Amino acid sequence: MKSSKSGSEKNRSLSDHVLTLHQRLVRALSLGIKYNDKKGRKWQCTDVETQGLAVRAMSAFVNCISSELSRHPLVKDSISDMLVALEGIFESGNMTVLSTAADLTAKLVDLLGTSVPQYRISVLVLPLSHLLSSNRLPLTVPCVIALNRLYLWNSTSRIFHRDGISFEGDTMVVASCKLYSALALCGIGAMKLLENGETFLPIMVHCMQSQQQRHVRIAAFKLSLYLVRSAEACCITIGSFCEPIVGAIIDAMNGWRSLSSEKVPADQVPLVVEACRLALITRWEGEHHSYFWKLGIDRVLLDLLLNNFSNKLNQPLIQCQFKELIAAARKGLYVDGLLIVRPYIWDILGWLVTHCGESFSFNLHENGRYLNVLIACACSLAVDSIHKGRHLSHEGFPNASEHEPVSRAVLLMIFSPCKNIASQARHFLSEALIQDGKDQLEVILNYLKSVAKDDFRMSDSLRIIISLMGLEFYLSVLQYQNFIIRSEVLETLSFLTKRCLSGDIQVRRSSITQHLHDTSNARTCCWVNMDEWEGGDMVLFYSLQVLAELMKYWHFTCNHLETIVSSHTHLMELENSQLQILVDRLQEICNNNSFSPGLRWYAAYGLNFLGFYGFPGELGKRIGKARDETELADLQLVLPVGQSLTVHSVILMVRCPSLLPPKEKSFLDRSGELQDEEQPRRKIRQEVHLSSHVDNHALIKLLGYVYTGFFWADNGLIKQLKMLSRSCNLQSLLKMLNRKRPKWGAFIPNCDFTPALGPGGYPSSDIVLKAKATEGMHWSCSVCLLSTPHVHAHKIILWSSCDYLQALFQSGMQDSHSQSIEVPVCWEALTKLIRWFYSGELPKPHYDCLWSNMNIEEQLQLVQAYVELSWLSEFWFLEDVRKDSINVILSCLKSNHNLSSKILQLSTVLTQHEIVEAAVNYITPLYPQMRDSGDLEVLDEKLRDVIRAAYVHFSQECHYGSD
């Protein structure tokens, strides 16, 4: 340990208290710091009591030092000694003192501020980073805080040199990646990092490149993986570095080939695995797909799959006979290879072929052959998985981890938008399945039938999924389609769907695929939109997919539903019962936002073949009522035959702007002043003359879709509807009318009228909703001169969803002609209410890290809006809004019981008895503590008496229960 200089000059300006603490510090550190000729000063004591004494002495000393005193020579010497001690204490791994030591490090960094670079504080980065992997939250959190504060002062970019990374820099880079990875476990933290990614993203990408050390690359790949958990985060991460990131992935997956090795060397495996994991960014659509193809991902995957296959051939790939090439590849599939990466290979390939466009083309010579060999290999393995049948549920079955990914990849191939890829997949599947005859198909049908009735075990999850995929494989082969259609598969799928919806059967993909297991996912928080497009119930998803394909083939062989039923005897029993139940069930899935987009799309796709188009929803049902309303209509569609239809411009502006006149007249005085609120506004009804080619019946159906998002039409109108949809540029409807299979990842074209709240909707606005005055809130509007918080809205939207406002607008009284309505709620409540009117969804808070870090007053302000909405909903007869508001309030109470007394007080004022009762229930067990702390003093005496009585009753029940 360094000897401290003595003398009055050095100790000047230090108080007696500081000097006393310094003496204690010196004694404590001397117990562990020893001098070694080779290593210099090191902490060499592993005794936990001595370490605890040192940490307490250091904490006491740091707590009494100001930033100004930290520059004192005596203090500076002591800080250097403390860093030596902390490094050794962290490396010792004594859990008893580590959390306190991490807290001390954070305080020390705060104390040093901009003088951090003067010390060797970087020695603490690596041991702190290693501790991040601990599952003990009390230890992980202070480590993250300490590292985060350290990096605020010590920029990571300092560790790089012009010619690469130094040895010391390697250690720092790995520690940096671990730090950022820990922060990225939180979705909010990840997005904050990406918002300021101009510093660390270039460094991360640089660390992924081939010239870096392997352990540095692995750390950078892991960090990248944490940053691409959602489509939005992935887009930001690779936005400016798309080509170098994809290039680094390809190089890591393929670099081992330069070692002239027939298979991946053992020391290269961890890097290859991390690169394969990151290559799963192919699940997100984007520019990176073109770079993967450009850099030869098909050859890379083939060489990983078949141990450097392209170099084993006796002649160039282009000169090989294709049949011999396929035979050699299939033989190589069953030679032990790098099994750990094979599930990733199939997932990567599946995503690549999924996001190919219809016009996608590849070199039909060498590169095309790589892809065709991959397709042939996948089909062979997928058919083998079907043959394994009942053995799939047995633990330890060979290549079990590969069965689902390869079958899934084949399914994505036969549904690929690229016709060439889909054709090749169907060809190879047909070759493999034709050899089986119907025997294996009957096994699948009988097995699924038994599962649909009552024979389901979780151990059979993989077999169920593979069986459903296998059924789709057989459906893709022409020779088997009629046999499947004539079987009882419709009833089987109907029962399977019912069991899934009731919760009897629910299988997540991660439960049957080992390669997707990531222990870090168990520690994530605040990440949204991480679920896959197909959702979390694979049995339901594939049941709907098979069902839709069946309906497709029925549609191609039958003209309408009656023909289907009469041509298949077993379906006659379903005509009035099961088939209608199935249709209702599919519509239920389409209508429910809690289901994943993939489930809703395939339910809608199946319904297309029965004449149903679109996605029914509650908002669509409400807005649909406006279709027959004429008083508020401001547009007239005139057909050449003299017929006309009245419509509402705000609906068309959002859903079908092609039907609007070229320039819509404004209902506002362009001076910025609203017209006299007491004078009724003259309704301006514009006319739009339509072409003679427009069919009246088709137009009515199309308007039904525009207003509600859903309609039924018989086959006779489809041609006219297609023409009209194309003219109106309604691409989502046109795809459904063409009965095109939904594109993977497609968004749901829900009814959402929130765009009407923007500038495009101002001209058709005919009502202003004013919130109650908010103290200290400054307001300005780009449309009018009103200085109070308000929203320019549309009567027809409000009329459709609120019986109270509907009655008000139709009453004929003075209020019905007013251009504004005073809404007695705060601005936050009004914006949420407006959002519900226009989108059908009440915005809800996320109980994430931001919520947890709010103080009570901030949380209360957020909850207050929902209490006011609950109160207003009673008067405006908005039962759905009231129900959702109460659910939000109860969730807030559950997340923070300290809100109870304040919410109780507010709810009492607004006479919200249901909320009052809930708040009392939350407060009751805490009554003694809240009484003693004075937290109940904000309540009036009557409420305190209610809580006191509730606590007495609660105590008695607990006493009797214990007896």
Side-chain angles (χ1 to χ4, degrees):
M1 183 174 177
K2 287 183 180 179
S3 58
S4 300
K5 295 181 180 180
S6 59
S8 59
E9 182 179 351
K10 186 171 183 179
N11 294 340
R12 188 170 51 197
S13 75
L14 295 180
S15 67
D16 292 340
H17 178 62
V18 171
L19 291 173
T20 300
L21 292 177
H22 177 260
Q23 292 173 0
R24 294 176 183 172
L25 173 67
V26 171
R27 287 196 296 269
L29 295 183
S30 66
L31 297 175
I33 296 180
K34 307 297 180 185
Y35 185 81
N36 185 298
D37 292 336
K38 296 181 178 180
K39 298 182 179 180
R41 295 180 307 123
K42 285 287 183 181
W43 178 272
Q44 298 179 0
C45 178
T46 59
D47 179 65
V48 67
E49 292 186 2
T50 302
Q51 290 183 3
L53 175 65
V55 170
R56 290 192 295 273
M58 288 187 284
S59 297
F61 185 68
V62 168
N63 288 337
C64 74
I65 297 297
S66 64
S67 297
E68 183 179 356
L69 286 180
S70 67
R71 294 188 285 271
H72 192 282
L74 183 71
V75 175
K76 292 175 69 174
D77 288 346
S78 301
I79 290 173
S80 298
D81 293 338
M82 284 191 284
L83 292 176
V84 172
L86 285 170
E87 180 186 13
I89 290 171
F90 281 129
E91 290 177 349
S92 70
N94 285 328
M95 305 299 289
T96 308
V97 297
L98 290 181
S99 296
T100 310
D103 284 330
L104 170 61
T105 304
K107 293 178 182 178
L108 188 58
V109 175
D110 286 343
L111 173 68
L112 297 179
T114 55
S115 63
V116 162
Q118 299 176 17
Y119 300 90
R120 290 185 67 254
I121 202 163
S122 60
V123 299
L124 301 183
V125 173
L126 190 59
L128 280 170
S129 300
H130 287 161
L131 294 174
L132 293 177
S133 60
S134 168
N135 290 325
R136 297 179 58 178
L137 195 61
L139 174 58
T140 304
V141 170
C143 287
V144 169
I145 293 173
L147 285 167
N148 191 33
R149 291 181 180 174
L150 190 155
Y151 274 85
L152 289 175
W153 301 108
N154 189 17
S155 174
T156 314
S157 60
R158 296 171 186 259
I159 63 180
F160 288 93
H161 300 295
R162 180 173 298 175
D163 300 324
I165 306 175
S166 66
F167 176 77
E168 182 181 8
D170 288 357
T171 302
M172 287 289 290
V173 169
V174 173
S176 302
C177 290
K178 288 184 177 181
L179 165 64
Y180 287 126
S181 297
L183 296 176
L185 289 175
C186 172
I188 296 173
M191 296 308 294
K192 288 294 183 183
L193 287 175
L194 292 173
E195 286 175 10
N196 303 284
E198 63 277 359
T199 299
F200 87 93
L201 280 180
I203 298 173
M204 180 191 77
V205 174
H206 183 74
C207 293
M208 297 167 67
Q209 307 306 312
S210 58
Q211 67 269 28
Q212 307 302 338
Q213 295 293 323
R214 193 180 307 124
H215 68 286
V216 172
R217 299 182 74 189
I218 289 174
F221 277 122
K222 287 183 176 181
L223 170 58
S224 301
L225 186 64
Y226 287 146
L227 293 173
V228 295
R229 293 177 186 269
S230 69
E232 181 185 5
C234 178
C235 182
I236 298 172
T237 302
I238 68 175
S240 302
F241 305 97
C242 188
E243 189 168 9
I245 287 179
V246 174
I249 293 172
I250 293 291
D251 181 83
M253 293 171 66
N254 195 42
W256 59 275
R257 294 178 68 251
S258 63
L259 303 175
S260 301
S261 175
E262 290 190 359
K263 61 181 181 179
V264 181
D267 62 343
Q268 294 284 328
V269 170
L271 178 61
V272 172
V273 171
E274 290 304 326
C276 288
R277 293 178 71 199
L278 185 56
L280 293 180
I281 58 174
T282 48
R283 69 185 183 273
W284 310 120
E285 192 173 19
E287 185 185 6
H288 52 290
H289 280 263
S290 62
Y291 286 111
F292 273 107
W293 289 114
K294 177 182 176 181
L295 295 176
I297 184 64
D298 44 350
R299 177 173 181 169
V300 172
L301 293 177
L302 186 61
D303 283 338
L304 270 178
L305 177 69
L306 300 176
N307 290 329
N308 213 350
F309 178 74
S310 57
N311 284 351
K312 292 179 181 178
L313 301 174
N314 296 325
Q315 54 186 329
L317 189 70
I318 192 173
Q319 298 177 12
C320 296
Q321 293 292 324
F322 192 64
K323 287 187 177 180
E324 296 176 0
L325 192 66
I326 296 298
R330 285 173 171 163
K331 183 178 179 181
L333 284 174
Y334 302 97
V335 178
D336 287 341
L338 189 58
L339 298 181
I340 191 174
V341 302
R342 286 175 69 153
Y344 294 106
I345 291 172
W346 301 126
D347 272 4
I348 295 166
L349 181 61
W351 292 127
L352 286 167
V353 300
T354 293
H355 293 295
C356 289
E358 291 184 23
S359 59
F360 173 79
S361 62
F362 48 86
N363 189 326
L364 295 180
H365 299 293
E366 187 169 301
N367 288 343
R369 288 198 161 194
Y370 287 127
L371 182 56
N372 282 332
V373 172
L374 279 169
I375 294 173
C377 290
C379 291
S380 293
L381 286 177
V383 172
D384 280 353
S385 296
I386 297 173
H387 290 164
K388 300 293 191 294
R390 62 181 180 275
H391 302 294
L392 289 175
S393 60
H394 294 179
E395 294 184 6
F397 194 78
N399 300 351
S401 63
E402 184 176 17
H403 293 308
E404 189 274 347
V406 71
S407 300
R408 186 174 188 267
V410 171
L411 207 55
L412 294 176
M413 289 174 192
I414 63 177
F415 292 155
S416 172
C418 176
K419 294 180 180 179
N420 196 349
I421 292 174
S423 175
Q424 288 292 326
R426 291 173 190 273
H427 167 71
F428 289 121
L429 263 182
S430 178
E431 279 189 344
L433 293 175
I434 288 296
Q435 301 173 6
D436 294 341
K438 299 176 183 177
D439 294 343
Q440 187 60 41
L441 175 57
E442 289 179 335
V443 170
I444 290 175
L445 291 171
N446 290 332
Y447 172 68
L448 290 176
K449 183 177 180 180
S450 69
V451 172
K453 293 297 174 64
D454 56 9
D455 188 19
F456 171 73
R457 296 183 299 273
M458 283 303 297
S459 59
D460 288 337
S461 297
L462 179 58
R463 184 184 177 189
I464 295 171
I465 299 299
I466 297 297
S467 297
L468 286 168
M469 290 181 179
L471 188 53
E472 292 196 74
F473 295 162
Y474 279 100
L475 265 175
S476 69
V477 179
L478 181 63
Q479 290 89 328
Y480 294 116
Q481 290 171 6
N482 196 47
F483 177 80
I484 295 174
I485 290 172
R486 292 180 180 277
S487 70
E488 298 179 4
V489 67
L490 176 64
E491 185 177 9
T492 295
L493 293 172
S494 179
F495 276 114
L496 266 180
T497 304
K498 178 183 177 182
R499 293 197 65 186
C500 289
L501 292 175
S502 65
D504 290 346
I505 300 177
Q506 194 168 42
V507 179
R508 299 192 68 87
R509 189 175 183 227
S510 58
S511 68
I512 56 174
T513 49
Q514 297 178 2
H515 70 294
L516 295 181
H517 291 172
D518 183 356
T519 55
S520 69
N521 284 333
R523 293 178 283 147
T524 57
C525 65
C526 307
W527 276 99
V528 295
N529 301 324
M530 285 180 61
D531 289 338
E532 298 289 357
W533 184 74
E534 69 265 39
D537 192 339
M538 294 293 95
V539 176
L540 180 57
F541 178 78
Y542 289 120
S543 296
L544 293 177
Q545 201 172 61
V546 177
L547 192 59
E549 292 300 311
L550 280 171
M551 291 181 174
K552 170 185 173 182
Y553 293 118
W554 279 330
H555 174 77
F556 286 155
T557 56
C558 310
N559 292 326
H560 46 76
L561 186 59
E562 289 78 7
T563 307
I564 295 174
V565 175
S566 61
S567 62
H568 301 289
T569 306
H570 74 276
L571 289 179
M572 295 182 66
E573 300 175 0
L574 302 177
E575 179 182 7
N576 297 319
S577 55
Q578 289 295 332
L579 191 57
Q580 184 58 52
I581 291 173
L582 183 59
V583 170
D584 293 341
R585 200 168 287 149
L586 294 178
Q587 290 188 4
E588 174 191 344
I589 294 172
C590 287
N591 186 29
N592 194 332
N593 290 336
S594 64
F595 287 110
S596 71
L599 291 175
R600 297 180 67 194
W601 260 117
Y602 270 101
Y605 179 50
L607 288 170
N608 289 170
F609 299 104
L610 299 177
F612 299 94
Y613 301 92
F615 294 84
E618 292 304 317
L619 179 61
K621 291 177 183 178
R622 298 201 304 264
I623 299 296
K625 295 187 297 184
R627 184 65 192 85
D628 299 322
E629 198 284 330
T630 58
E631 180 63 26
L632 298 174
D634 53 8
L635 201 62
Q636 197 155 355
L637 304 180
V638 182
L639 287 87
V641 294
Q643 295 177 308
S644 63
L645 299 170
T646 56
V647 292
H648 307 84
S649 61
V650 64
I651 306 293
L652 299 188
M653 187 275 291
V654 174
R655 299 278 292 161
C656 189
S658 301
L659 288 177
L660 288 174
K663 288 186 178 180
E664 190 179 348
K665 296 180 181 178
S666 171
F667 293 120
L668 294 175
D669 182 348
R670 288 295 88 193
S671 65
E673 296 278 1
L674 282 169
Q675 297 179 13
D676 186 355
E677 294 187 6
E678 303 302 324
Q679 297 297 323
R681 184 181 306 191
R682 182 174 62 87
K683 181 62 63 178
I684 302 173
R685 182 170 293 173
Q686 294 178 269
E687 292 185 352
V688 176
H689 293 267
L690 303 178
S691 166
S692 59
H693 297 293
V694 176
D695 180 85
N696 182 44
H697 298 293
L699 178 61
I700 291 174
K701 289 291 184 183
L702 182 134
L703 288 174
Y705 174 76
V706 168
Y707 274 74
T708 68
F710 184 77
F711 70 98
W712 179 89
D714 58 36
N715 287 334
L717 272 181
I718 298 302
K719 183 178 179 179
Q720 290 290 338
L721 276 167
K722 287 181 181 179
M723 294 173 55
L724 190 55
S725 298
R726 190 176 294 109
S727 300
C728 293
N729 197 31
L730 290 175
Q731 293 300 319
S732 60
L733 177 57
L734 185 60
K735 289 179 180 178
M736 286 185 277
L737 290 169
N738 286 324
R739 298 183 174 102
K740 283 196 171 185
R741 186 180 293 106
K743 182 181 178 181
W744 196 277
F747 293 104
I748 301 293
N750 285 331
C751 283
D752 183 2
F753 296 94
T754 51
L757 296 170
Y762 291 153
S764 56
S765 171
D766 52 1
I767 191 70
V768 171
L769 300 182
K770 300 178 182 177
K772 66 183 181 182
T774 303
E775 185 178 350
M777 185 177 185
H778 301 285
W779 184 265
S780 64
C781 180
S782 60
V783 179
C784 68
L785 300 180
L786 287 175
S787 59
T788 56
H790 64 276
V791 176
H792 292 275
H794 306 82
K795 285 186 176 180
I796 190 60
I797 302 290
L798 307 180
W799 178 94
S800 302
S801 298
C802 181
D803 291 342
Y804 170 82
L805 294 177
Q806 185 178 130
L808 177 65
F809 296 152
Q810 294 177 338
S811 66
M813 296 186 294
Q814 183 175 351
D815 286 347
S816 66
H817 301 298
S818 176
Q819 295 181 42
S820 66
I821 298 176
E822 302 279 350
V823 185
V825 295
C826 66
W827 170 245
E828 289 77 11
L830 179 59
T831 57
K832 289 175 172 57
L833 179 62
I834 289 294
R835 178 68 64 169
W836 180 84
F837 276 127
Y838 281 75
S839 72
E841 297 288 332
L842 187 71
K844 300 177 179 64
H846 296 289
Y847 304 106
D848 50 24
C849 292
L850 290 180
W851 165 265
S852 300
N853 287 314
M854 289 181 183
N855 59 40
I856 291 294
E857 294 304 321
E858 290 172 328
Q859 291 183 348
L860 182 64
Q861 184 179 3
L862 188 151
V863 178
Q864 179 179 343
Y866 294 98
V867 177
E868 292 187 6
L869 281 177
S870 175
W871 169 79
L872 181 68
S873 299
E874 290 185 340
F875 296 97
W876 282 21
F877 308 110
L878 299 172
E879 185 57 33
D880 289 342
V881 175
R882 174 171 165 75
K883 186 188 304 180
D884 287 346
S885 298
I886 291 176
N887 287 338
V888 168
I889 296 165
L890 295 180
S891 297
C892 292
L893 283 171
K894 185 176 181 180
S895 68
N896 188 350
H897 291 184
N898 294 325
L899 284 171
S900 301
S901 59
K902 296 183 180 295
I903 291 178
L904 177 59
Q905 186 180 22
L906 178 62
S907 304
T908 302
V909 173
L910 295 176
T911 63
Q912 294 300 288
H913 301 299
E914 188 173 347
I915 303 173
V916 169
E917 183 179 351
V920 168
N921 289 337
Y922 278 106
I923 289 176
T924 297
L926 306 175
Y927 172 73
Q929 300 95 303
M930 296 182 72
R931 177 197 58 202
D932 297 340
S933 63
D935 290 341
L936 296 179
E937 294 303 317
V938 296
L939 304 177
D940 60 37
E941 187 175 351
K942 184 177 179 181
L943 280 176
R944 292 200 297 270
D945 289 342
V946 170
I947 298 171
R948 186 183 302 110
Y951 177 71
V952 171
H953 182 68
F954 170 78
S955 301
Q956 291 173 344
E957 284 189 341
C958 292
H959 175 72
Y960 293 140
S962 62
D963 291 343

